[in-house]
Amino acid sequence: EDKVVQSPLSLVVHEGDTVTLNCSYEVTNFRSLLWYKQEKKAPTFLFMLTSSGIEKKSGRLSSILDKKELFSILNITATQTGDSAIYLCAVLPINTGTASKLTFGTGTRLQVTL
Amino acid sequence: DVKVTQSSRYLVKRTGEKVFLECVQDMDHENMFWYRQDPGLGLRLIYFSYDVKMKEKGDIPEGYSVSREKKERFSLILESASTNQTSMYLCASSLRPHYEQYFGPGTRLTVT
């Protein structure tokens, strides 16, 4: 059974801090790892990582994948209160038939305080 | 921009009622998914569909059924709602099997 573990479960930081969120996985026939941000409603897509060692970046957020050690990190620099959310990690296996199913971790709850 | 909409944001139903949750996407996506999200358990896949009239069970299909009569619409049906189906229900869609999924705003269902 595919498994995704995120750490820490929750985190409180001050505005301006840099944070690192972790995601480790065990999955048969790994294809990609995805990060989502969930505020009060729908998860919104951040990154999809398929290749090891290649950083993806969007503004103050960046992420990298290590396929040998089976983990990914999501970095947020110069955090703002608007970064407060649950960050979800999910893995996507190679499609062996119809549609590919995401397996999600339980998320990291980040709170950024003034 | 991809838009995924769900018929209700909040819903309160009684035990034993039949419940329909509807999801519509406007980007001609092939694949559509229904998840439930519960504290400490994360998102769990209930059913998904890879084409019109095609469906497959996810990880927790018991007590649910689905319908996909048109490409843009995917319905989740609770035949006889029970209190353990109180949850946040999220619909998602993706263009192709290996593409990222886009989520709707969610329906918070309470069964009393």
Side-chain angles (χ1 to χ4, degrees), chain A residues 67-113:
Chain A
K67 289 168 75 172
K68 185 178 174 188
E69 299 297 328
L70 308 183
F71 78 92
S72 173
I73 59 171
L74 175 69
N75 278 321
I76 309 174
T77 59
T79 52
Q80 301 171 358
T81 54
D83 295 326
S84 296
I86 297 172
Y87 290 85
L88 297 168
C89 173
V91 292
L92 186 67
I94 290 171
N95 180 22
T96 56
T98 53
S100 290
K101 302 189 295 181
L102 285 174
T103 298
F104 282 86
T106 53
T108 293
R109 183 181 293 275
L110 173 66
Q111 184 179 352
V112 181
T113 62

Side-chain angles (χ1 to χ4, degrees), chain A residues 5-23:
Chain A
V5 177
Q6 292 185 246
S7 64
L9 290 180
S10 67
L11 193 55
V12 181
V13 301
H14 292 295
E15 202 172 42
D17 288 350
T18 292
V19 298
T20 298
L21 310 183
N22 304 292
C23 176

Side-chain angles (χ1 to χ4, degrees), chain B residues 17-40:
Chain B
E17 279 192 89
K18 190 169 186 175
V19 182
F20 292 86
L21 302 182
E22 293 221 307
C23 175
V24 178
Q25 50 92 4
D26 67 355
M27 287 301 291
D28 203 34
H29 284 182
E30 286 182 0
N31 304 301
M32 296 187 75
F33 308 81
W34 275 106
Y35 296 88
R36 62 178 285 176
Q37 185 175 30
D38 301 287

Side-chain angles (χ1 to χ4, degrees), chain B residues 67-111:
Chain B
S67 172
R68 194 168 181 199
E69 297 296 318
K70 294 186 178 182
K71 192 173 187 179
E72 67 271 18
R73 191 179 297 268
F74 191 35
S75 301
L76 179 70
I77 303 150
L78 288 67
E79 294 290 341
S80 176
S82 64
T83 54
N84 63 12
Q85 292 178 310
T86 291
S87 187
M88 170 69 87
Y89 289 88
L90 290 161
C91 175
S93 70
S94 69
L95 180 62
R96 298 280 185 270
H98 290 146
Y99 284 44
E100 63 273 18
Q101 294 180 19
Y102 292 90
F103 285 83
T107 295
R108 186 165 293 281
L109 173 68
T110 302
V111 182

Side-chain angles (χ1 to χ4, degrees), chain A residues 25 30-31 50-53 65-71:
Chain A
Y25 62 89
F30 174 86
R31 180 181 174 89
T50 304
S51 302
S52 263
L65 175 68
D66 185 327
K67 289 168 75 172
K68 185 178 174 188
E69 299 297 328
L70 308 183
F71 78 92

